Amino acid sequence: RSPLAAAALIGALGAGLVVDRLAAVKGSSLAIAAFSCALAIPASLFPFSHSLPVGAALLFLLVLANTATALSCNTFGVIAIPNDLRGLWFGISGVAALVVGYAIAPTLVACLSDLLGGERAMATALAIALIGANAIALAAYVEAYRVAISRPG
């Protein structure tokens, strides 16, 4: 019923199928995470849309891409992290995602909005935060991919 729930489901299923299909290719889950982050950057401009259908489509793409990124990252964790450390890694990454998503990001958007002129700058602040977060994640996934494919074995 919800288009955003459908976007999350499509992102998870799509990334899951592609990662599974490319499982034998070294670093494939990181490459998919980087590609998904790259898709999310232009989609982060949804607050500037002057058309409801265009804004909804961009928001749909943003949710789809970020869900695909999360699934690809978790798949990499399952593949690359030894069993005895995997639970710790999932716990730390889960807490980090919650802290960023529920504490840092909303505070950053509010502070940026205040610096840019108050409530009327909320769309700009949201877009800046989304583009910044996805650009940083893209750079991190590209570097992780570079390291992963350069290691023997």
Side-chain angles (χ1 to χ4, degrees):
R1 286 224 179 271
S2 167
L4 294 181
L9 185 61
I10 293 167
L13 287 173
L17 291 171
V18 173
V19 167
D20 190 45
R21 177 78 58 183
L22 299 175
V25 179
K26 185 189 271 189
S28 61
S29 60
L30 292 171
I32 293 163
F35 177 76
S36 299
C37 278
L39 281 177
I41 291 172
S44 297
L45 294 173
F46 81 90
F48 295 125
S49 175
H50 295 290
S51 160
L52 181 60
V54 172
L58 288 172
L59 183 58
F60 184 93
L61 178 60
L62 181 67
V63 171
L64 184 145
N66 284 334
T67 303
T69 300
L71 185 125
S72 300
C73 179
N74 286 333
T75 301
F76 178 76
V78 168
I79 293 168
I81 297 176
N83 287 342
D84 56 331
L85 297 175
R86 196 172 297 146
L88 177 64
W89 181 81
F90 275 108
I92 290 171
S93 67
V95 167
L98 290 171
V99 167
V100 169
Y102 290 112
I104 296 172
T107 304
L108 175 63
V109 171
C111 289
L112 280 172
S113 177
D114 192 43
L115 286 172
L116 297 171
E119 289 178 18
R120 69 181 186 282
M122 188 66 73
T124 303
L126 180 59
I128 290 170
L130 287 169
I131 290 168
N134 281 300
I136 290 168
L138 174 59
Y141 285 124
V142 167
E143 178 62 17
Y145 173 79
R146 189 190 65 73
V147 169
I149 63 169
S150 68
R151 296 209 174 180

